[in-house]
Amino acid sequence: MELYKGLLRPLMFRLRADDAQGLAEWAFRRRFLWSLLSAPLRFQDLRLQLSMAGIALRNPVGLAAGYDKDCRFLDSMLSLGFGYVVGGTVTWEPRPGNPKPRVARHPAQLSLVNAMGFPSLGARRIARELARYENRQDAVLVSIAGLTIEEFVSCHRLLEPLVDGIELNISSPNTQGLRVFQEPASFRQLVERLNQGRQKPLFVKLPPYYNDEDRNKVLELTRLCLKLGVEGVTAINTKRVAQPELRVGAGGLSGKLLFDDMLRTVKEVYRETGGKLIINACGGIFTAQDALMALQAGARSVQVLTALVYEGPAVAKNINKGLVRLLEENRLLSVAGLMPSSS
Ligand SMILES: Cc1cc2nc3c(=O)[nH]c(=O)nc-3n(C[C@H](O)[C@H](O)[C@H](O)COP(=O)(O)O)c2cc1C
């Protein structure tokens, strides 16, 4: 949408990133407006439809967790033509998050650094928001996190009936206590507890890795996911970097600078799990070509967040349109044909 890049983005980028984000949230809460824009913004094509752990998706382009943390405008996001949306991350108790500034832009690198620190209205309030989407036809997932197994379990029990699947955030770089669940023993305990009452697909958001030791740990987690019956993983969360202009001095890097890490992780997880674990690729995906590379590396779907900030509301439509063009060029009948298992 040239209106966005030519006019709205320059205006938004004159505001501090935190304020621009607040303004975008305000605009997206005008749900009626976005439902009117849905026809020009959605791109529908039967060849893009697929199933992700039994969840029917209109297309493989999802909105990543973190854009609508309190699930207050997921319907507007669906109007933009995303094949599914991930609300959250939701915590059991309300939390204010970190002090501002907590988002920084790096326009030359098409990247962001954020240290949101899990601002959340809390699961009980967000359950009321999610109840609004009950009769929808599109897929809604919600990301949950907690500092204890009990917090995860409480969120899961309350929110699972309201959505199509749950994504576990054990990988935010901004919340120290979360990382304990990246340890195999704690991860196993957590998933076994969730499995006791679980009805719907479960996805685990993986951290990026920084060295070989981390890499082996992440791959071990994916093997555990298979053993424990977890349906899929989302690869990857943001990468911790120093950022003096943020109030807390450091945050998670997202956008183009994450793309190579994402692609390598998708390839390695695919190889490690023999294609048996669903992989949602997330990190630096901006174009149909980026999405194609992730799907060919073994991803079932792609998720975007930073590209929405830089490319604007037509990002899902543009990626989907481009994917259809690539299908036609490769004489493929459906997007599932792009993945390595069926090639
Ligand atoms: C402002 C911001 C907030 C985020 N909040 C969350 C979050 O609450 N939970 C989560 O799992 N990931 C969160 N993420 C990470 C994204 O979901 C995604 O993994 C990451 O940004 C890489 O994708 P991208 O390059 O398309 O942005 C956040 C990212 C950004 C930029």
Side-chain angles (χ1 to χ4, degrees), residues 162-201:
L162 302 168
V163 293
D164 299 295
I166 298 277
E167 189 176 87
L168 295 185
N169 184 356
I170 56 165
S171 49
S172 165
N174 301 316
T175 310
Q176 195 70 32
L178 258 194
R179 272 174 268 167
V180 63
F181 294 109
Q182 294 172 24
E183 295 301 323
S186 324
F187 180 73
R188 176 187 281 275
Q189 259 188 324
L190 170 63
V191 175
E192 281 176 348
R193 274 297 302 283
L194 295 176
N195 276 349
Q196 282 168 20
R198 179 159 87 81
Q199 306 285 331
K200 302 212 173 133

Side-chain angles (χ1 to χ4, degrees), residues 21 64-67 69 88-89 103 112 114 116 118 143 167 169 171-172 205 234 236-238 252-256 258 282-286 303-307:
Q21 190 185 343
Y67 197 77
K69 287 181 185 281
T89 294
V103 187
L112 298 172
N114 90 85
M116 301 296 288
F118 285 156
S143 161
E167 189 176 87
N169 184 356
S171 49
S172 165
K205 183 101 172 243
T234 299
I236 50 182
N237 214 317
T238 56
L253 175 72
S254 64
K256 269 282 164 247
L258 205 58
C282 179
I285 293 168
F286 278 61
Q303 297 181 4
V304 305
L305 195 159
T306 303

Side-chain angles (χ1 to χ4, degrees), residues 3 9 201 239 280 317 339:
L3 174 67
R9 189 176 77 181
K239 197 170 181 177
N280 307 312
K317 174 182 174 170
M339 296 161 202

Side-chain angles (χ1 to χ4, degrees), residues 34-341:
W34 297 98
S35 70
L36 292 180
L37 289 172
S38 171
L41 281 171
R42 271 185 195 239
F43 176 79
Q44 311 243 36
D45 191 297
L46 290 180
R47 289 168 289 185
L48 293 169
Q49 290 181 0
L50 75 157
S51 160
M52 183 173 80
I55 305 171
L57 308 184
R58 289 180 196 271
N59 64 66
V61 184
L63 174 76
Y67 197 77
D68 186 1
K69 287 181 185 281
D70 294 322
C71 304
R72 290 202 282 187
F73 50 86
L74 293 175
D75 35 7
S76 300
M77 296 291 108
L78 289 165
S79 296
L80 304 187
F82 284 103
Y84 68 103
V85 291
V86 187
T89 294
V90 177
T91 57
W92 180 244
E93 295 295 343
R95 287 169 55 100
N98 285 330
K100 294 176 183 175
R102 52 190 186 184
V103 187
R105 300 186 197 99
H106 294 280
Q109 287 85 27
L110 295 176
S111 294
L112 298 172
V113 178
N114 90 85
M116 301 296 288
F118 285 156
S120 179
L121 291 177
R124 282 156 287 202
R125 167 81 169 74
I126 292 170
R128 296 207 294 276
E129 296 290 339
L130 284 169
R132 283 194 300 112
Y133 307 121
E134 230 161 13
N135 295 321
R136 77 202 135 69
Q137 311 219 309
D138 300 278
V140 174
L141 272 62
V142 72
S143 161
I144 61 170
L147 297 180
T148 63
I149 290 185
E150 287 318 312
E151 285 178 359
F152 268 105
V153 170
S154 302
C155 272
H156 190 274
R157 299 277 182 275
L158 180 66
L159 301 182
E160 193 202 45
L162 302 168
V163 293
D164 299 295
I166 298 277
E167 189 176 87
L168 295 185
N169 184 356
I170 56 165
S171 49
S172 165
N174 301 316
T175 310
Q176 195 70 32
L178 258 194
R179 272 174 268 167
V180 63
F181 294 109
Q182 294 172 24
E183 295 301 323
S186 324
F187 180 73
R188 176 187 281 275
Q189 259 188 324
L190 170 63
V191 175
E192 281 176 348
R193 274 297 302 283
L194 295 176
N195 276 349
Q196 282 168 20
R198 179 159 87 81
Q199 306 285 331
K200 302 212 173 133
L202 189 65
F203 301 89
V204 173
K205 183 101 172 243
L206 297 176
Y209 29 83
Y210 301 82
N211 53 44
D212 276 354
E213 193 190 337
D214 285 347
R215 173 178 172 277
N216 293 338
K217 257 194 192 156
V218 169
L219 293 179
E220 186 177 350
L221 280 187
T222 64
R223 291 194 298 272
L224 255 180
C225 282
L226 273 184
K227 255 194 219 145
L228 296 168
V230 170
E231 280 78 2
V233 293
T234 299
I236 50 182
N237 214 317
T238 56
K239 197 170 181 177
R240 191 167 175 81
V241 290
Q243 182 71 56
E245 73 190 73
L246 299 183
R247 183 75 179 274
V248 294
L253 175 72
S254 64
K256 269 282 164 247
L257 292 176
L258 205 58
F259 184 81
D260 291 345
D261 288 65
M262 175 282 290
L263 200 61
R264 190 178 62 235
T265 311
V266 170
K267 281 182 187 159
E268 292 185 346
V269 171
Y270 186 83
R271 200 179 318 126
E272 187 71 25
T273 56
K276 292 193 197 90
L277 199 59
I278 290 171
I279 305 171
N280 307 312
C282 179
I285 293 168
F286 278 61
T287 64
Q289 187 60 37
D290 298 337
L292 175 74
M293 287 169 79
L295 297 174
Q296 287 181 328
R300 179 74 56 94
S301 83
V302 299
Q303 297 181 4
V304 305
L305 195 159
T306 303
L308 183 58
V309 174
Y310 284 101
E311 300 290 308
V315 66
K317 174 182 174 170
N318 291 341
I319 295 177
N320 279 316
K321 247 177 139 172
L323 280 175
V324 166
R325 213 172 34 243
L326 290 165
L327 288 178
E328 285 168 353
E329 279 167 23
N330 292 290
R331 296 202 172 78
L332 289 169
L333 294 178
S334 90
V335 77
L338 293 169
M339 296 161 202
S341 54

